[in-house]
Amino acid sequence: MPKNGNAAKLPSQFKNIQKLVDDVYRNSTSPWVVTYSGGKDSSVVLDMFLRSAKKYPDGKHIYVVSNNTRVESPLVIGQLEKMHKILRRYIEAEGLKVSVHMTEPPLYDSFWVNLIGKGYPAPNQMFRWCTSRLKIDPTSAFIDRTIGNKDLMMSVGTRAAESASRKRNIDKHSVSEFFSTHTTRQNTQIFMPIRYLTDDDVWEYLASVTPPWGGDYMDLINLYREAYGGECPVVADASALSQPSCGERSPRFGCWTCTLVKDDSSLQGLIASGYMNLKPLYDFRNWLVETRDDITTRLPFNRQGQTRYKNGLLVYGPYRLEHRLEILTKLMTVQKTVGANLILDQEIDLIHDLWEEDRVFFQRYIGVRIPLNKFDESEFVTF
């Protein structure tokens, strides 16, 4: 695969974007948050910002912020944690005004506490409770603690070519060619330096440059290749543009529990590439999808004991306690099978407390008695 670290040999569009990042960073009067998921798009943005930080040591501080939802694919979170260590060593060695941070949701907002403890049904497009609790709110909390209500610049790896819906959302909030408004923070500007890059452009950049910290992007490229079943070629130069690249149908990495998509192509691809230890995770996710809309698993009222109707039809509430117990039991079986820590002991303790609160509330105020045996962890291996 052709690769070089000489920016002069890069196509002009990449040099133009780097100049744009340089100019915006050099002239900004506010600190920066650069979101970094470890995926291909955020890697390009971070790469360029680190180059700018080295060129302009008097620039404003850059906070590199990643989200650990605690339900990330084991391979993805492993890659992200490894990159954080590499970045910290590089930043310290170079003396850059950059710091690297990983957010996590608070215990009461974790995926398992919401799903199993409170009985929230597995997320769908109509009740997408996961994104805010696992990603948006922890990032906002980090900004509030670190920067407060001051003016802030935020850079993201959003691209219009990702999907039609993504393009519509970008266009809706854009205030100029590369800037948009933040939906909740009035004093925050969103900078989208790779807005107009295609998937092939992203892969060409990653395959052609040496990262600021040295080495290459082969681990990242191979992760995407394996998530596509090991058959994904990477466009590395203009002569290869006629070939299909990872980007044309590249899988999207996210939570292994994600039920917002019909099927998890990235997990499928990784399993096809030989990661059979992920098969129990894939099967468990599919089971969550299959049982999500089964009304026999749901209560006919919400957690406040209220019955609701929409268009004359009953709106079912949280999972019944016996189904929450079934989910936890299956999850612990999966954890034992794969040998990975999928749920914290503290989460299980809080789940027990929430079950007891619900049971007492339903019996005392609604007159519904819901017996439930306490979950017995002794038969499961804990990590």
Side-chain angles (χ1 to χ4, degrees):
M1 176 179 298
K3 189 174 80 68
N4 65 79
N6 188 345
K9 296 182 180 179
L10 285 173
S12 59
Q13 67 170 336
F14 298 135
K15 290 188 287 185
N16 291 339
I17 295 173
Q18 182 64 66
K19 184 178 183 305
L20 171 67
V21 174
D22 288 348
D23 291 344
V24 171
Y25 175 67
R26 182 184 61 207
N27 294 318
S28 63
T29 57
S30 305
W32 282 86
V33 165
V34 175
T35 59
Y36 176 59
S37 69
K40 64 185 193 305
D41 298 330
S42 66
S43 293
V44 173
V45 174
L46 177 61
D47 179 297
M48 292 183 170
F49 263 89
L50 290 180
R51 295 177 195 275
S52 295
K54 188 171 183 178
K55 291 177 189 175
Y56 305 106
D58 294 330
K60 291 297 182 178
H61 192 93
I62 298 173
Y63 298 91
V64 179
V65 180
S66 304
N67 300 126
N68 179 6
T69 63
R70 294 210 295 267
V71 283
E72 301 293 327
S73 163
L75 291 177
V76 173
I77 192 62
Q79 171 74 6
L80 184 58
E81 289 174 343
K82 183 184 78 172
M83 281 304 307
H84 271 223
K85 292 178 182 178
I86 292 172
L87 289 169
R88 288 192 178 102
R89 286 197 298 267
Y90 168 73
I91 290 164
E92 182 178 0
E94 295 292 332
L96 302 180
K97 292 175 68 174
V98 182
S99 54
V100 183
H101 309 269
M102 185 88 77
T103 71
E104 291 187 354
L107 199 65
Y108 60 84
D109 261 346
S110 78
F111 183 84
W112 299 123
V113 168
N114 279 289
L115 183 87
I116 304 174
K118 301 173 187 175
Y120 285 8
N124 59 25
Q125 296 298 336
M126 298 297 293
F127 188 30
R128 189 172 178 165
W129 53 263
C130 51
T131 305
S132 58
R133 287 172 172 80
L134 304 185
K135 293 186 176 183
I136 298 174
D137 292 349
T139 299
S140 296
F142 169 81
I143 293 173
D144 290 341
R145 290 193 309 270
T146 309
I147 302 172
N149 198 37
K150 300 175 184 176
D151 289 347
L152 172 68
M153 302 292 292
M154 180 180 291
S155 187
V156 297
T158 306
R159 294 182 301 108
E162 290 181 76
S163 66
S165 60
R166 181 60 58 88
K167 182 179 184 303
R168 285 195 299 270
N169 192 54
I170 293 173
D171 293 343
K172 177 181 178 181
H173 297 286
S174 292
V175 294
S176 63
E177 190 173 15
F178 293 100
F179 288 89
S180 69
T181 56
H182 194 284
T183 55
T184 58
R185 300 181 67 91
Q186 294 183 351
N187 56 348
T188 299
Q189 291 189 67
I190 305 295
F191 178 44
M192 302 171 289
I194 64 170
R195 174 177 180 173
Y196 298 107
L197 290 188
T198 65
D199 295 325
D200 283 343
D201 293 333
V202 170
W203 288 120
E204 182 177 4
Y205 184 86
L206 294 175
S208 300
V209 304
T210 296
W213 51 87
D216 54 39
Y217 284 108
M218 283 310 302
D219 284 350
L220 177 62
I221 290 170
N222 285 331
L223 182 60
Y224 274 88
R225 178 182 286 117
E226 289 169 338
Y228 194 55
E231 300 178 354
C232 177
V234 174
V235 171
D237 55 40
S239 64
L241 290 179
S242 60
Q243 300 178 21
S245 76
C246 287
E248 288 188 13
R249 289 180 291 170
S250 64
R252 298 184 65 84
F253 291 109
C255 304
W256 70 266
T257 56
C258 183
T259 54
L260 294 172
V261 293
K262 183 178 180 181
D263 209 354
D264 191 328
S265 61
S266 63
L267 268 181
Q268 275 186 310
L270 290 169
I271 293 167
S273 294
Y275 293 94
M276 295 307 297
N277 61 311
L278 299 179
K279 181 68 162 52
L281 304 184
Y282 179 73
D283 292 340
F284 181 86
R285 187 214 80 97
N286 288 345
W287 178 74
L288 287 180
V289 175
E290 292 165 3
T291 57
R292 176 178 55 203
D293 298 321
D294 181 356
I295 61 173
T296 65
T297 68
R298 306 271 292 276
L299 290 168
F301 44 79
N302 62 23
R303 295 190 71 242
Q304 288 71 46
Q306 301 167 331
T307 301
R308 294 177 55 242
Y309 290 86
K310 184 175 181 179
N311 298 326
L313 298 176
L314 176 65
V315 177
Y316 283 86
Y319 288 132
R320 294 178 180 274
L321 289 177
E322 57 266 33
H323 187 61
R324 301 183 213 177
L325 173 61
E326 183 180 13
I327 297 173
L328 181 56
T329 303
K330 283 183 177 291
L331 175 63
M332 294 298 288
T333 301
V334 171
Q335 175 168 277
K336 182 177 180 180
T337 301
V338 301
N341 189 12
L342 303 178
I343 183 171
L344 302 175
D345 291 341
Q346 300 96 307
E347 290 178 289
I348 295 177
D349 291 340
L350 182 51
I351 285 168
H352 285 158
D353 293 342
L354 288 166
W355 285 354
E356 187 61 25
E357 287 178 13
D358 277 7
R359 183 167 53 178
V360 170
F361 176 80
F362 296 152
Q363 185 167 339
R364 181 176 300 171
Y365 295 100
I366 309 175
V368 177
R369 183 174 182 275
I370 304 179
L372 180 68
N373 295 325
K374 182 176 173 62
F375 178 73
D376 182 11
E377 300 98 330
S378 62
E379 62 180 291
F380 296 102
V381 175
T382 56
F383 300 90

